[in-house]
C-alpha cells in the first residue's frame, strides 16, 4: 500500500506532538507535513520539527488566508488531523470547507477529550463562545469551545471523518504525595489530593505519549471511517489511582479533600455567576470548565468504555488488542523515577 499523506495542525502542541511522533514511528505508512502558522515559523519548536525530525513544514495562516490557499494546502492530502488548542476551534470550520473541496479522504477534527454527550453537559464539548482577559498578558481572548459545531459542519459537508476521544491524560490524573516527590510533574489543572463524589466512578485514561500511537493505528483502519473512536489504557477510579500511588510510592496520602456532587455543582454555579458579572475573568472560566469536567467524569460517569459504546464509539482496545498502551502503573513508575514531562499548563 502506498504511504498516506497526512497534514497535521498543532504539531508543536501536546497532543499534536504525540500524534507526530506516533506517525513518524510508522514511516512505512505515513508521510507527514506539519501545518504551521506563519507567526510561529521561527519558533525553536518549529526548527526542531525540521532539523531533528525531518518534517516538512507548510506555512499557512488558517484564519486569514483566502480559502483557495487552504484548498491548495489540502490538495493531495489523504488525512488531515487537527490538534489545535481550545482557543482556536472555530478556525477549523474553514478547513472543513477547504478539505471537502480538495477531496481529503479523512478529516480528524480536534476532539481529544473525555467522552461526554453534547447538549449542555460540558461547554468544552459543545457550542459556546466565551471571552476573557488573560491575567498574564492582560489581552482579551475569545474562547471557542465549539467541537460540536465543527463536527456538525463535517456532517453537513458529507466529509469523511474520524473523531477520536482519549479520556483524561495520565499526565493530569495523579495526586501529589506528602513527600512532594511527584510535584515536579504536577499540572496546575490537577488539584493536589481531591476525591470527588466518593471516588469510585471509573474513568478512561490514556498516556499523552500514546495518543499518536493510537492515531497511527486508527487512521489506517477502514473500520474507523465515519466513526467516533475512544482510546484508553485503563479505566480507573480516583480511589484506585490513590491506592496505586500509595502502593508504588510507599507513602500514605492522609490528607484528602472530599468533594461531593453538590459541591461540584456549587463550584460550577458560583463560577458561572462570577462570569456573568465579570466576563473576562479567566480564573472563573477555568473553574467552570473544571467543574463541568468533574461532574461529567465523576458524578455522571460519562467517561467510561460502556458509556462510550452506548454513544456509538468504537473501542480502540478492542480494535487493536495487539497494541499495549502505557498502563497507568507504568506511568507511575516513570513518574516516581522523575522521568515525566510536566504539561505546560
Ligand atoms: N484529554 C485530556 O486530558 C486533555 C488535556 C488537555 C487538552 N486536551 C484537548 O486537546 C486539544 C489540544 O490541546 P493541547 O493542549 O494538546 O494543545 P496545545 O499544546 O496548546 O497546542 C496547540 C497547538 O495548536 C497550534 N495552533 C493554535 N492556533 C493555530 C493556528 N491558528 N494555526 C496553526 N496552528 C495553531 C499551536 O501552534 P503554535 O506553536 O503556533 O502555538 C500548537 O501547536 C484541546 O482541544 C484540548 O481540549 C485534552
Amino acid at each position: 500500500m502506498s504511504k498516506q499523506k497526512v497534514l497535521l495542525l498543532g504539531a508543536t502542541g501536546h497532543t499534536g506532538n504525540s500524534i507526530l511522533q506516533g506517525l513518524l514511528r510508522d514511516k512505512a505508512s505515513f508521510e507527514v507535513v506539519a501545518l504551521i502558522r506563519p507567526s510561529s515559523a521561527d519558533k525553536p519548536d518549529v526548527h526542531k520539527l525540521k532539523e531533528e525530525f525531518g518534517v516538512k513544514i507548510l506555512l499557512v495562516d488558517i484564519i486569514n488566508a483566502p480559502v483557495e490557499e487552504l484548498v491548495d494546502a489540502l490538495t493531495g492530502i489523504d488525512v488531515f488531523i487537527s490538534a489545535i488548542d481550545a482557543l482556536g476551534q472555530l478556525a477549523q470550520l474553514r478547513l472543513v470547507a477547504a478539505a471537502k473541496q480538495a477531496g481529503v479522504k479523512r478529516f480528524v477534527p480536534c476532539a481529544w477529550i473525555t467522552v461526554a454527550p453534547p447538549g449542555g453537559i460540558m461547554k468544552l464539548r459543545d457550542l459556546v463562545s466565551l471571552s476573557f482577559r488573560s491575567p498574564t498578558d492582560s489581552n482579551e481572548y475569545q474562547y471557542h469551545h465549539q467541537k460540536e459545531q465543527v463536527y456538525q459542519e463535517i456532517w453537513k459537508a458529507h466529509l469523511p471523518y474520524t473523531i477520536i476521544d482519549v479520556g483524561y491524560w495520565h499526565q493530569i490524573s495523579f495526586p501529589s504525595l506528602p513527600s512532594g516527590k511527584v510535584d515536579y510533574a504536577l499540572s496546575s489543572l490537577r488539584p493536589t489530593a481531591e476525591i470527588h463524589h466518593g471516588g469510585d466512578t471509573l474513568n478512561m485514561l490514556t498516556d499523552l505519549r500514546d495518543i499518536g500511537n493510537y492515531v497511527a493505528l486508527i487512521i489506517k483502519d477502514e473500520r474507523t471511517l465515519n466513526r467516533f473512536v475512544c482510546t484508553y489504557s485503563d479505566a480507573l477510579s480516583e480511589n484506585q489511582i490513590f491506592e496505586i500511588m500509595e502502593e508504588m510510592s510507599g507513602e500514605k496520602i492522609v490528607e484528602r479533600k472530599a468533594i461531593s456532587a453538590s459541591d461540584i455543582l456549587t463550584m460550577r454555579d458560583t463560577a458561572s455567576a462570577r462570569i456573568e458579572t465579570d466576563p473576562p475573568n479567566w480564573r472563573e472560566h477555568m473553574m467552570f470548565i473544571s467543574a463541568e469536567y468533574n461532574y461529567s467524569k465523576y458524578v455522571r460517569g460519562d467517561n467510561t468504555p460502556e458509556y462510550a459504546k452506548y454513544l456509538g464509539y468504537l473501542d480502540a482496545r478492542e480494535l487493536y488488542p495487539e497494541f499495549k498502551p502505557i498502563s497507568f502503573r507504568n506511568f507511575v513508575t516513570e513518574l516516581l523515577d522523575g522521568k515525566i514531562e510536566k504539561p505546560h499548563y
Side-chain angles (χ1 to χ4, degrees), residues 9-15 37 40 43 62-63 83-86 89 110-113 147 166-169 172 344-345:
L9 170 64
T12 55
H14 294 98
T15 307
R37 50 182 153 187
S40 294
K43 280 188 176 173
I62 58 170
I63 295 167
I84 196 166
D85 57 80
Q89 298 294 307
C110 184
W112 321 115
I113 56 168
K147 293 184 193 291
V166 298
Y168 222 52
W169 303 343
I172 48 176
H344 69 224
Y345 37 62

PDB file of all heavy atoms in Angstrom, residues 9-15 37 40 43 62-63 83-86 89 110-113 147 166-169 172 344-345, ligand 1:
ATOM      1  N   LEU A   9      -2.114  19.665  11.921  1.00  0.00           N
ATOM      2  CA  LEU A   9      -2.201  21.005  12.511  1.00  0.00           C
ATOM      3  C   LEU A   9      -2.005  20.879  14.022  1.00  0.00           C
ATOM      4  O   LEU A   9      -2.715  20.099  14.670  1.00  0.00           O
ATOM      5  CB  LEU A   9      -3.592  21.588  12.202  1.00  0.00           C
ATOM      6  CG  LEU A   9      -4.024  22.872  12.903  1.00  0.00           C
ATOM      7  CD1 LEU A   9      -3.133  24.042  12.510  1.00  0.00           C
ATOM      8  CD2 LEU A   9      -5.473  23.200  12.554  1.00  0.00           C
ATOM      9  N   GLY A  10      -1.025  21.617  14.574  1.00  0.00           N
ATOM     10  CA  GLY A  10      -0.803  21.567  16.028  1.00  0.00           C
ATOM     11  C   GLY A  10       0.397  20.718  16.410  1.00  0.00           C
ATOM     12  O   GLY A  10       0.507  20.284  17.567  1.00  0.00           O
ATOM     13  N   ALA A  11       1.306  20.470  15.456  1.00  0.00           N
ATOM     14  CA  ALA A  11       2.428  19.546  15.705  1.00  0.00           C
ATOM     15  C   ALA A  11       3.358  20.011  16.825  1.00  0.00           C
ATOM     16  O   ALA A  11       4.129  19.221  17.362  1.00  0.00           O
ATOM     17  CB  ALA A  11       3.233  19.339  14.422  1.00  0.00           C
ATOM     18  N   THR A  12       3.297  21.306  17.187  1.00  0.00           N
ATOM     19  CA  THR A  12       4.163  21.784  18.277  1.00  0.00           C
ATOM     20  C   THR A  12       3.465  21.705  19.632  1.00  0.00           C
ATOM     21  O   THR A  12       4.054  22.036  20.649  1.00  0.00           O
ATOM     22  CB  THR A  12       4.584  23.248  18.026  1.00  0.00           C
ATOM     23  OG1 THR A  12       3.388  24.032  17.846  1.00  0.00           O
ATOM     24  CG2 THR A  12       5.459  23.390  16.796  1.00  0.00           C
ATOM     25  N   GLY A  13       2.198  21.284  19.648  1.00  0.00           N
ATOM     26  CA  GLY A  13       1.454  21.221  20.911  1.00  0.00           C
ATOM     27  C   GLY A  13       1.572  19.857  21.571  1.00  0.00           C
ATOM     28  O   GLY A  13       2.200  18.945  21.046  1.00  0.00           O
ATOM     29  N   HIS A  14       0.927  19.712  22.734  1.00  0.00           N
ATOM     30  CA  HIS A  14       0.999  18.441  23.480  1.00  0.00           C
ATOM     31  C   HIS A  14       0.447  17.282  22.646  1.00  0.00           C
ATOM     32  O   HIS A  14       1.126  16.301  22.381  1.00  0.00           O
ATOM     33  CB  HIS A  14       0.150  18.513  24.756  1.00  0.00           C
ATOM     34  CG  HIS A  14       0.631  19.468  25.773  1.00  0.00           C
ATOM     35  ND1 HIS A  14       0.119  20.725  25.923  1.00  0.00           N
ATOM     36  CD2 HIS A  14       1.584  19.347  26.716  1.00  0.00           C
ATOM     37  CE1 HIS A  14       0.720  21.332  26.921  1.00  0.00           C
ATOM     38  NE2 HIS A  14       1.637  20.524  27.420  1.00  0.00           N
ATOM     39  N   THR A  15      -0.824  17.425  22.254  1.00  0.00           N
ATOM     40  CA  THR A  15      -1.488  16.326  21.546  1.00  0.00           C
ATOM     41  C   THR A  15      -0.872  16.156  20.161  1.00  0.00           C
ATOM     42  O   THR A  15      -0.579  15.032  19.729  1.00  0.00           O
ATOM     43  CB  THR A  15      -3.000  16.639  21.404  1.00  0.00           C
ATOM     44  OG1 THR A  15      -3.513  16.944  22.710  1.00  0.00           O
ATOM     45  CG2 THR A  15      -3.758  15.483  20.806  1.00  0.00           C
ATOM     46  N   ARG A  37       1.436  28.039  11.607  1.00  0.00           N
ATOM     47  CA  ARG A  37       1.046  29.424  11.271  1.00  0.00           C
ATOM     48  C   ARG A  37       2.309  30.251  11.033  1.00  0.00           C
ATOM     49  O   ARG A  37       3.328  30.048  11.737  1.00  0.00           O
ATOM     50  CB  ARG A  37       0.171  30.039  12.354  1.00  0.00           C
ATOM     51  CG  ARG A  37       0.677  29.932  13.763  1.00  0.00           C
ATOM     52  CD  ARG A  37      -0.308  30.531  14.738  1.00  0.00           C
ATOM     53  NE  ARG A  37      -0.192  29.914  16.058  1.00  0.00           N
ATOM     54  CZ  ARG A  37      -1.019  30.166  17.051  1.00  0.00           C
ATOM     55  NH1 ARG A  37      -2.016  31.001  16.889  1.00  0.00           N
ATOM     56  NH2 ARG A  37      -0.855  29.576  18.225  1.00  0.00           N
ATOM     57  N   SER A  40       4.516  31.571  13.775  1.00  0.00           N
ATOM     58  CA  SER A  40       5.304  30.644  14.603  1.00  0.00           C
ATOM     59  C   SER A  40       6.508  30.076  13.853  1.00  0.00           C
ATOM     60  O   SER A  40       7.242  29.240  14.403  1.00  0.00           O
ATOM     61  CB  SER A  40       4.424  29.473  15.068  1.00  0.00           C
ATOM     62  OG  SER A  40       3.418  29.911  15.930  1.00  0.00           O
ATOM     63  N   LYS A  43       9.839  29.805  15.626  1.00  0.00           N
ATOM     64  CA  LYS A  43       9.900  29.258  16.995  1.00  0.00           C
ATOM     65  C   LYS A  43      10.867  28.074  17.041  1.00  0.00           C
ATOM     66  O   LYS A  43      10.920  27.277  16.093  1.00  0.00           O
ATOM     67  CB  LYS A  43       8.516  28.757  17.414  1.00  0.00           C
ATOM     68  CG  LYS A  43       7.562  29.842  17.876  1.00  0.00           C
ATOM     69  CD  LYS A  43       6.322  29.171  18.435  1.00  0.00           C
ATOM     70  CE  LYS A  43       5.360  30.169  19.013  1.00  0.00           C
ATOM     71  NZ  LYS A  43       4.093  29.526  19.396  1.00  0.00           N
ATOM     72  N   ILE A  62      -4.315  29.885   8.744  1.00  0.00           N
ATOM     73  CA  ILE A  62      -5.638  29.260   8.524  1.00  0.00           C
ATOM     74  C   ILE A  62      -6.791  30.212   8.836  1.00  0.00           C
ATOM     75  O   ILE A  62      -7.910  29.993   8.396  1.00  0.00           O
ATOM     76  CB  ILE A  62      -5.805  27.952   9.335  1.00  0.00           C
ATOM     77  CG1 ILE A  62      -5.610  28.205  10.832  1.00  0.00           C
ATOM     78  CG2 ILE A  62      -4.881  26.859   8.825  1.00  0.00           C
ATOM     79  CD1 ILE A  62      -6.010  27.016  11.696  1.00  0.00           C
ATOM     80  N   ILE A  63      -6.497  31.281   9.562  1.00  0.00           N
ATOM     81  CA  ILE A  63      -7.584  32.207   9.927  1.00  0.00           C
ATOM     82  C   ILE A  63      -7.799  33.263   8.834  1.00  0.00           C
ATOM     83  O   ILE A  63      -8.937  33.580   8.487  1.00  0.00           O
ATOM     84  CB  ILE A  63      -7.289  32.865  11.293  1.00  0.00           C
ATOM     85  CG1 ILE A  63      -7.300  31.757  12.355  1.00  0.00           C
ATOM     86  CG2 ILE A  63      -8.303  33.957  11.639  1.00  0.00           C
ATOM     87  CD1 ILE A  63      -6.747  32.138  13.681  1.00  0.00           C
ATOM     88  N   ALA A  83      -5.026  19.218  15.892  1.00  0.00           N
ATOM     89  CA  ALA A  83      -4.837  19.182  17.353  1.00  0.00           C
ATOM     90  C   ALA A  83      -4.616  20.620  17.815  1.00  0.00           C
ATOM     91  O   ALA A  83      -3.691  20.931  18.555  1.00  0.00           O
ATOM     92  CB  ALA A  83      -3.656  18.278  17.710  1.00  0.00           C
ATOM     93  N   ILE A  84      -5.492  21.488  17.330  1.00  0.00           N
ATOM     94  CA  ILE A  84      -5.404  22.914  17.663  1.00  0.00           C
ATOM     95  C   ILE A  84      -5.897  23.095  19.098  1.00  0.00           C
ATOM     96  O   ILE A  84      -6.693  22.294  19.589  1.00  0.00           O
ATOM     97  CB  ILE A  84      -6.245  23.734  16.645  1.00  0.00           C
ATOM     98  CG1 ILE A  84      -5.886  25.210  16.687  1.00  0.00           C
ATOM     99  CG2 ILE A  84      -7.739  23.510  16.842  1.00  0.00           C
ATOM    100  CD1 ILE A  84      -6.427  25.994  15.483  1.00  0.00           C
ATOM    101  N   ASP A  85      -5.419  24.155  19.755  1.00  0.00           N
ATOM    102  CA  ASP A  85      -5.834  24.331  21.154  1.00  0.00           C
ATOM    103  C   ASP A  85      -7.268  24.817  21.241  1.00  0.00           C
ATOM    104  O   ASP A  85      -7.879  25.205  20.245  1.00  0.00           O
ATOM    105  CB  ASP A  85      -4.894  25.311  21.854  1.00  0.00           C
ATOM    106  CG  ASP A  85      -4.850  26.642  21.151  1.00  0.00           C
ATOM    107  OD1 ASP A  85      -5.764  27.444  21.355  1.00  0.00           O
ATOM    108  OD2 ASP A  85      -3.909  26.844  20.363  1.00  0.00           O
ATOM    109  N   ALA A  86      -7.800  24.811  22.476  1.00  0.00           N
ATOM    110  CA  ALA A  86      -9.206  25.146  22.679  1.00  0.00           C
ATOM    111  C   ALA A  86      -9.543  26.551  22.175  1.00  0.00           C
ATOM    112  O   ALA A  86     -10.676  26.807  21.776  1.00  0.00           O
ATOM    113  CB  ALA A  86      -9.553  25.006  24.151  1.00  0.00           C
ATOM    114  N   GLN A  89     -10.725  26.553  18.064  1.00  0.00           N
ATOM    115  CA  GLN A  89     -11.600  25.539  17.453  1.00  0.00           C
ATOM    116  C   GLN A  89     -12.308  26.017  16.178  1.00  0.00           C
ATOM    117  O   GLN A  89     -12.400  25.284  15.206  1.00  0.00           O
ATOM    118  CB  GLN A  89     -12.667  25.080  18.462  1.00  0.00           C
ATOM    119  CG  GLN A  89     -12.106  24.405  19.707  1.00  0.00           C
ATOM    120  CD  GLN A  89     -11.440  23.089  19.409  1.00  0.00           C
ATOM    121  OE1 GLN A  89     -12.034  22.222  18.788  1.00  0.00           O
ATOM    122  NE2 GLN A  89     -10.210  22.924  19.838  1.00  0.00           N
ATOM    123  N   CYS A 110     -10.369  18.355  15.915  1.00  0.00           N
ATOM    124  CA  CYS A 110      -9.809  18.410  17.256  1.00  0.00           C
ATOM    125  C   CYS A 110     -10.846  17.979  18.289  1.00  0.00           C
ATOM    126  O   CYS A 110     -11.697  18.771  18.686  1.00  0.00           O
ATOM    127  CB  CYS A 110      -9.334  19.833  17.549  1.00  0.00           C
ATOM    128  SG  CYS A 110      -8.536  19.937  19.151  1.00  0.00           S
ATOM    129  N   ALA A 111     -10.776  16.713  18.679  1.00  0.00           N
ATOM    130  CA  ALA A 111     -11.621  16.197  19.777  1.00  0.00           C
ATOM    131  C   ALA A 111     -10.680  16.017  20.963  1.00  0.00           C
ATOM    132  O   ALA A 111     -10.424  16.956  21.703  1.00  0.00           O
ATOM    133  CB  ALA A 111     -12.268  14.891  19.364  1.00  0.00           C
ATOM    134  N   TRP A 112     -10.148  14.809  21.151  1.00  0.00           N
ATOM    135  CA  TRP A 112      -9.074  14.510  22.109  1.00  0.00           C
ATOM    136  C   TRP A 112      -9.444  14.806  23.554  1.00  0.00           C
ATOM    137  O   TRP A 112      -8.594  15.150  24.364  1.00  0.00           O
ATOM    138  CB  TRP A 112      -7.774  15.274  21.764  1.00  0.00           C
ATOM    139  CG  TRP A 112      -7.441  15.385  20.309  1.00  0.00           C
ATOM    140  CD1 TRP A 112      -7.389  16.524  19.569  1.00  0.00           C
ATOM    141  CD2 TRP A 112      -7.097  14.321  19.401  1.00  0.00           C
ATOM    142  NE1 TRP A 112      -7.054  16.252  18.270  1.00  0.00           N
ATOM    143  CE2 TRP A 112      -6.872  14.902  18.133  1.00  0.00           C
ATOM    144  CE3 TRP A 112      -6.977  12.930  19.535  1.00  0.00           C
ATOM    145  CZ2 TRP A 112      -6.535  14.162  17.010  1.00  0.00           C
ATOM    146  CZ3 TRP A 112      -6.642  12.183  18.419  1.00  0.00           C
ATOM    147  CH2 TRP A 112      -6.415  12.800  17.174  1.00  0.00           C
ATOM    148  N   ILE A 113     -10.762  14.706  23.886  1.00  0.00           N
ATOM    149  CA  ILE A 113     -11.135  14.952  25.296  1.00  0.00           C
ATOM    150  C   ILE A 113     -11.783  13.702  25.879  1.00  0.00           C
ATOM    151  O   ILE A 113     -11.673  12.614  25.317  1.00  0.00           O
ATOM    152  CB  ILE A 113     -12.059  16.190  25.441  1.00  0.00           C
ATOM    153  CG1 ILE A 113     -13.321  16.072  24.583  1.00  0.00           C
ATOM    154  CG2 ILE A 113     -11.302  17.467  25.136  1.00  0.00           C
ATOM    155  CD1 ILE A 113     -14.401  17.122  24.913  1.00  0.00           C
ATOM    156  N   LYS A 147     -16.329  22.264  19.563  1.00  0.00           N
ATOM    157  CA  LYS A 147     -16.048  20.990  18.909  1.00  0.00           C
ATOM    158  C   LYS A 147     -17.302  20.508  18.180  1.00  0.00           C
ATOM    159  O   LYS A 147     -17.230  20.076  17.035  1.00  0.00           O
ATOM    160  CB  LYS A 147     -15.588  19.965  19.932  1.00  0.00           C
ATOM    161  CG  LYS A 147     -14.233  20.300  20.567  1.00  0.00           C
ATOM    162  CD  LYS A 147     -13.761  19.208  21.500  1.00  0.00           C
ATOM    163  CE  LYS A 147     -12.597  19.613  22.370  1.00  0.00           C
ATOM    164  NZ  LYS A 147     -11.321  19.808  21.694  1.00  0.00           N
ATOM    165  N   VAL A 166      -9.936  10.570  23.970  1.00  0.00           N
ATOM    166  CA  VAL A 166      -8.824   9.832  24.593  1.00  0.00           C
ATOM    167  C   VAL A 166      -8.956   9.717  26.111  1.00  0.00           C
ATOM    168  O   VAL A 166      -8.003   9.335  26.786  1.00  0.00           O
ATOM    169  CB  VAL A 166      -7.473  10.516  24.250  1.00  0.00           C
ATOM    170  CG1 VAL A 166      -7.234  10.508  22.752  1.00  0.00           C
ATOM    171  CG2 VAL A 166      -7.403  11.945  24.789  1.00  0.00           C
ATOM    172  N   GLY A 167     -10.145  10.035  26.654  1.00  0.00           N
ATOM    173  CA  GLY A 167     -10.257  10.055  28.113  1.00  0.00           C
ATOM    174  C   GLY A 167      -9.416  11.192  28.670  1.00  0.00           C
ATOM    175  O   GLY A 167      -9.196  12.203  28.005  1.00  0.00           O
ATOM    176  N   TYR A 168      -8.931  11.004  29.896  1.00  0.00           N
ATOM    177  CA  TYR A 168      -8.090  12.029  30.536  1.00  0.00           C
ATOM    178  C   TYR A 168      -6.652  11.533  30.493  1.00  0.00           C
ATOM    179  O   TYR A 168      -6.400  10.347  30.620  1.00  0.00           O
ATOM    180  CB  TYR A 168      -8.550  12.212  31.991  1.00  0.00           C
ATOM    181  CG  TYR A 168      -8.607  13.653  32.437  1.00  0.00           C
ATOM    182  CD1 TYR A 168      -9.296  14.606  31.694  1.00  0.00           C
ATOM    183  CD2 TYR A 168      -7.971  14.065  33.608  1.00  0.00           C
ATOM    184  CE1 TYR A 168      -9.349  15.926  32.101  1.00  0.00           C
ATOM    185  CE2 TYR A 168      -8.027  15.392  34.030  1.00  0.00           C
ATOM    186  CZ  TYR A 168      -8.714  16.310  33.268  1.00  0.00           C
ATOM    187  OH  TYR A 168      -8.760  17.626  33.670  1.00  0.00           O
ATOM    188  N   TRP A 169      -5.702  12.458  30.281  1.00  0.00           N
ATOM    189  CA  TRP A 169      -4.294  12.037  30.214  1.00  0.00           C
ATOM    190  C   TRP A 169      -3.812  11.526  31.579  1.00  0.00           C
ATOM    191  O   TRP A 169      -4.170  12.089  32.622  1.00  0.00           O
ATOM    192  CB  TRP A 169      -3.371  13.212  29.863  1.00  0.00           C
ATOM    193  CG  TRP A 169      -3.626  13.949  28.615  1.00  0.00           C
ATOM    194  CD1 TRP A 169      -4.381  13.561  27.542  1.00  0.00           C
ATOM    195  CD2 TRP A 169      -3.114  15.254  28.292  1.00  0.00           C
ATOM    196  NE1 TRP A 169      -4.355  14.529  26.564  1.00  0.00           N
ATOM    197  CE2 TRP A 169      -3.593  15.582  27.000  1.00  0.00           C
ATOM    198  CE3 TRP A 169      -2.288  16.162  28.951  1.00  0.00           C
ATOM    199  CZ2 TRP A 169      -3.277  16.786  26.372  1.00  0.00           C
ATOM    200  CZ3 TRP A 169      -1.976  17.360  28.333  1.00  0.00           C
ATOM    201  CH2 TRP A 169      -2.467  17.665  27.060  1.00  0.00           C
ATOM    202  N   ILE A 172      -2.270  14.259  33.820  1.00  0.00           N
ATOM    203  CA  ILE A 172      -3.006  15.200  34.682  1.00  0.00           C
ATOM    204  C   ILE A 172      -3.992  14.449  35.583  1.00  0.00           C
ATOM    205  O   ILE A 172      -4.991  15.005  36.030  1.00  0.00           O
ATOM    206  CB  ILE A 172      -3.729  16.296  33.854  1.00  0.00           C
ATOM    207  CG1 ILE A 172      -4.523  15.703  32.691  1.00  0.00           C
ATOM    208  CG2 ILE A 172      -2.743  17.329  33.339  1.00  0.00           C
ATOM    209  CD1 ILE A 172      -5.338  16.750  31.903  1.00  0.00           C
ATOM    210  N   HIS A 344       2.513  22.043  29.906  1.00  0.00           N
ATOM    211  CA  HIS A 344       2.807  23.447  30.131  1.00  0.00           C
ATOM    212  C   HIS A 344       1.667  24.220  30.775  1.00  0.00           C
ATOM    213  O   HIS A 344       1.707  25.429  30.869  1.00  0.00           O
ATOM    214  CB  HIS A 344       3.349  24.141  28.868  1.00  0.00           C
ATOM    215  CG  HIS A 344       2.341  24.312  27.757  1.00  0.00           C
ATOM    216  ND1 HIS A 344       2.649  24.057  26.442  1.00  0.00           N
ATOM    217  CD2 HIS A 344       1.048  24.693  27.752  1.00  0.00           C
ATOM    218  CE1 HIS A 344       1.568  24.276  25.692  1.00  0.00           C
ATOM    219  NE2 HIS A 344       0.601  24.665  26.468  1.00  0.00           N
ATOM    220  N   TYR A 345       0.603  23.532  31.229  1.00  0.00           N
ATOM    221  CA  TYR A 345      -0.428  24.227  31.999  1.00  0.00           C
ATOM    222  C   TYR A 345      -0.830  23.417  33.210  1.00  0.00           C
ATOM    223  O   TYR A 345      -0.471  22.295  33.364  1.00  0.00           O
ATOM    224  CB  TYR A 345      -1.671  24.538  31.175  1.00  0.00           C
ATOM    225  CG  TYR A 345      -2.098  23.505  30.153  1.00  0.00           C
ATOM    226  CD1 TYR A 345      -2.463  22.213  30.519  1.00  0.00           C
ATOM    227  CD2 TYR A 345      -2.127  23.843  28.806  1.00  0.00           C
ATOM    228  CE1 TYR A 345      -2.861  21.289  29.577  1.00  0.00           C
ATOM    229  CE2 TYR A 345      -2.530  22.915  27.856  1.00  0.00           C
ATOM    230  CZ  TYR A 345      -2.898  21.636  28.255  1.00  0.00           C
ATOM    231  OH  TYR A 345      -3.289  20.711  27.314  1.00  0.00           O
TER     232      TYR A 345
HETATM  233  N1  LIG B   1      -7.902  14.586  27.330  1.00  0.00           N
HETATM  234  C1  LIG B   1      -7.187  15.389  28.091  1.00  0.00           C
HETATM  235  O1  LIG B   1      -6.832  15.041  29.235  1.00  0.00           O
HETATM  236  C2  LIG B   1      -6.795  16.739  27.531  1.00  0.00           C
HETATM  237  C3  LIG B   1      -5.886  17.542  28.220  1.00  0.00           C
HETATM  238  C4  LIG B   1      -5.538  18.767  27.666  1.00  0.00           C
HETATM  239  C5  LIG B   1      -6.073  19.174  26.435  1.00  0.00           C
HETATM  240  N2  LIG B   1      -6.972  18.362  25.798  1.00  0.00           N
HETATM  241  C6  LIG B   1      -7.582  18.746  24.486  1.00  0.00           C
HETATM  242  O2  LIG B   1      -6.608  18.547  23.483  1.00  0.00           O
HETATM  243  C7  LIG B   1      -6.754  19.538  22.463  1.00  0.00           C
HETATM  244  C8  LIG B   1      -5.366  20.054  22.100  1.00  0.00           C
HETATM  245  O3  LIG B   1      -4.832  20.663  23.257  1.00  0.00           O
HETATM  246  P1  LIG B   1      -3.272  20.671  23.555  1.00  0.00           P
HETATM  247  O4  LIG B   1      -3.113  21.041  24.990  1.00  0.00           O
HETATM  248  O5  LIG B   1      -2.643  19.441  23.037  1.00  0.00           O
HETATM  249  O6  LIG B   1      -2.816  21.912  22.633  1.00  0.00           O
HETATM  250  P2  LIG B   1      -1.538  22.835  22.829  1.00  0.00           P
HETATM  251  O7  LIG B   1      -0.433  22.099  23.489  1.00  0.00           O
HETATM  252  O8  LIG B   1      -1.988  24.119  23.448  1.00  0.00           O
HETATM  253  O9  LIG B   1      -1.112  23.082  21.312  1.00  0.00           O
HETATM  254  C9  LIG B   1      -1.931  23.764  20.406  1.00  0.00           C
HETATM  255  C10 LIG B   1      -1.330  23.673  19.028  1.00  0.00           C
HETATM  256  O10 LIG B   1      -2.194  24.350  18.119  1.00  0.00           O
HETATM  257  C11 LIG B   1      -1.372  25.206  17.298  1.00  0.00           C
HETATM  258  N3  LIG B   1      -2.188  26.331  16.830  1.00  0.00           N
HETATM  259  C12 LIG B   1      -3.033  27.112  17.551  1.00  0.00           C
HETATM  260  N4  LIG B   1      -3.607  28.034  16.751  1.00  0.00           N
HETATM  261  C13 LIG B   1      -3.119  27.820  15.500  1.00  0.00           C
HETATM  262  C14 LIG B   1      -3.313  28.445  14.245  1.00  0.00           C
HETATM  263  N5  LIG B   1      -4.134  29.475  14.112  1.00  0.00           N
HETATM  264  N6  LIG B   1      -2.652  27.969  13.171  1.00  0.00           N
HETATM  265  C15 LIG B   1      -1.802  26.920  13.294  1.00  0.00           C
HETATM  266  N7  LIG B   1      -1.575  26.275  14.461  1.00  0.00           N
HETATM  267  C16 LIG B   1      -2.211  26.732  15.548  1.00  0.00           C
HETATM  268  C17 LIG B   1      -0.233  25.650  18.209  1.00  0.00           C
HETATM  269  O11 LIG B   1       0.836  26.093  17.409  1.00  0.00           O
HETATM  270  P3  LIG B   1       1.853  27.274  17.817  1.00  0.00           P
HETATM  271  O12 LIG B   1       3.181  26.588  18.055  1.00  0.00           O
HETATM  272  O13 LIG B   1       1.858  28.138  16.614  1.00  0.00           O
HETATM  273  O14 LIG B   1       1.315  27.961  19.032  1.00  0.00           O
HETATM  274  C18 LIG B   1       0.059  24.315  18.907  1.00  0.00           C
HETATM  275  O15 LIG B   1       0.852  23.506  18.090  1.00  0.00           O
HETATM  276  C19 LIG B   1      -7.684  20.634  23.019  1.00  0.00           C
HETATM  277  O16 LIG B   1      -8.851  20.675  22.280  1.00  0.00           O
HETATM  278  C20 LIG B   1      -7.981  20.217  24.444  1.00  0.00           C
HETATM  279  O17 LIG B   1      -9.347  20.351  24.767  1.00  0.00           O
HETATM  280  C21 LIG B   1      -7.332  17.171  26.320  1.00  0.00           C
END
